Amino acid sequence: MTRHRILAGLALVLAVAGLAALPFGLKSYGIYLISTWLVMTIAAMGLNLTLGYAGQVSMAQAAFVGIGAYTAAILTTQGWPFGVAFLAAGAISFVVGWGLGYPALRVQHHYLAFVTLAFTTLAYLVFRNEEWLTGGITGISGIPRPVVLGWKTGQATAFYHFCLGMLVLVAAALWWVLRSPWGRAFVALRENPVRALSLGVDTRRYTLIAFALGSALGGFAGALYAPLVQFVDPTPFGLGLSLNLLLMVVVGGAGFFFGPFLGALVAVLLPEWLRFTEGYYLILYALLVMALMTACPTGLLGLADRLLRPMRRNQVAAEEAAR
């Protein structure tokens, strides 16, 4: 087991090093796309915590990305440091997510999806109509990119590395949460809430925690999205983004830690790879996703896990026989 952990850690370090070197071979638009992938991965990680681990279907993640983006945009354009804006975006999303989690205590599955969908619509209307705060349809422009200990991230490559660093930090924090008693309680809540309650798990409290933490990750993603595009308006934060984030989690593999990484990669890059088909690229994208979900309804990592399971069984059997 120790050897496997060492190999996994080495592979992870090499993967991060490869991602750090990736933008040097790309043009500006390519760097923008992979930066978007990093940001959307954080948002999808939050939804994966809510859906994949706690088993709560939420359609509100786009609203929390919007809350985080507007919080960062408003504060940084008023001269506040990005660090303060980033933490404020997560904190506000956490509080709002905690409040939104209360309906999850009374409704489940598709009923909860409708409740969170209504919240996304409400948030979109606030972004569009409250011009005194959000700028309405004209949005907020001139959002500065952060300066970290004298390191300016104004250039595309520098900001990509900043987003990569933030993703690593957020992923490490989430990994710790999922390996803690909280994470085990989330899984118990997803698998069988009644049995979890009988074992002494406070299902109400852990449902609220799952919603709040997932919402906070959406807020963090929004805080990075604002300086990435340097302009925020209501259009990106509607139902389409919620559906796209749900697609990222399901395609990558709900309940798998690295599922959002792979799902976001498919959702962000696949449409761009199909641009050569011109007006047909969205049709082809939809058909490919439908075929993918038909072939592996548990997602790409679920398919990989199913294929590797016999190999793991044989390895365990061989180790037991050697003893």
Side-chain angles (χ1 to χ4, degrees):
M1 182 64 69
T2 303
R3 179 186 175 187
H4 291 164
R5 288 182 178 178
I6 293 174
L7 291 175
L10 181 60
L12 190 60
V13 170
L14 292 175
V16 173
L19 289 174
L22 183 60
F24 296 110
L26 298 175
K27 296 181 180 179
S28 58
Y29 185 64
I31 298 173
Y32 168 77
L33 284 178
I34 58 175
S35 299
T36 302
W37 165 59
L38 296 177
V39 172
M40 290 298 107
T41 297
I42 295 176
M45 287 168 63
L47 182 57
N48 190 39
L49 177 63
T50 305
L51 172 64
Y53 287 93
Q56 305 296 327
V57 182
S58 174
M59 297 291 290
Q61 197 70 351
F64 293 112
V65 175
I67 290 172
Y70 273 103
T71 300
I74 292 169
L75 292 179
T76 55
T77 53
Q78 296 298 318
W80 288 78
F82 177 80
V84 174
F86 184 80
L87 294 176
I92 293 172
S93 298
F94 181 92
V95 172
V96 175
W98 186 277
L100 183 63
Y102 279 98
L105 303 177
R106 296 183 176 273
V107 295
Q108 297 289 329
H109 306 302
H110 57 281
Y111 298 107
L112 178 60
F114 282 122
V115 171
T116 52
L117 177 61
F119 176 76
T120 298
T121 303
L122 174 63
Y124 176 81
L125 292 174
V126 170
F127 298 153
R128 190 184 68 179
N129 296 327
E130 299 302 320
E131 298 183 5
W132 63 274
L133 180 64
T134 66
I137 59 174
T138 59
I140 302 174
S141 58
I143 302 170
R145 288 181 174 172
V147 178
V148 182
L149 300 177
W151 175 43
K152 297 180 180 180
T153 63
Q155 297 296 323
T157 302
F159 190 74
Y160 166 83
H161 286 126
F162 176 74
C163 290
L164 178 60
M166 297 304 296
L167 174 60
V168 170
L169 291 176
V170 170
L174 183 60
W175 180 269
W176 175 81
V177 168
L178 293 175
R179 294 300 178 274
S180 71
W182 284 7
R184 292 189 289 272
F186 292 154
V187 174
L189 186 65
R190 177 192 65 193
E191 298 296 335
N192 194 321
V194 176
R195 184 173 62 185
L197 184 62
S198 68
L199 293 173
V201 176
D202 188 344
T203 56
R204 292 172 58 89
R205 182 164 67 97
Y206 282 106
T207 298
L208 292 175
I209 291 173
F211 256 93
L213 289 178
S215 303
L217 290 179
F220 289 144
L224 292 172
Y225 177 82
L228 171 63
V229 298
Q230 297 187 292
F231 171 77
V232 172
D233 74 319
T235 305
F237 309 117
L239 175 60
L241 180 58
S242 281
L243 292 173
N244 209 22
L245 289 169
L246 182 62
L247 175 70
M248 294 176 193
V249 173
V250 173
V251 168
F256 292 92
F257 183 80
F258 290 104
F261 292 76
L262 189 56
L265 190 67
V266 171
V268 172
L269 296 186
L270 184 57
E272 297 299 324
W273 291 340
L274 296 174
R275 291 271 184 190
F276 71 93
T277 61
E278 298 180 355
Y280 297 99
Y281 82 99
L282 287 178
I283 298 175
L284 289 175
Y285 175 59
L287 291 174
L288 286 172
V289 170
M290 290 169 62
L292 176 63
M293 296 315 302
T294 301
C296 46
T298 55
L300 293 171
L301 291 185
L303 176 63
D305 181 68
R306 191 171 65 201
L307 294 175
L308 294 175
R309 199 173 298 157
M311 296 176 57
R312 287 199 294 266
R313 286 202 201 101
N314 293 336
Q315 183 178 4
V316 171
E319 291 177 354
E320 290 179 352
R323 293 174 185 174

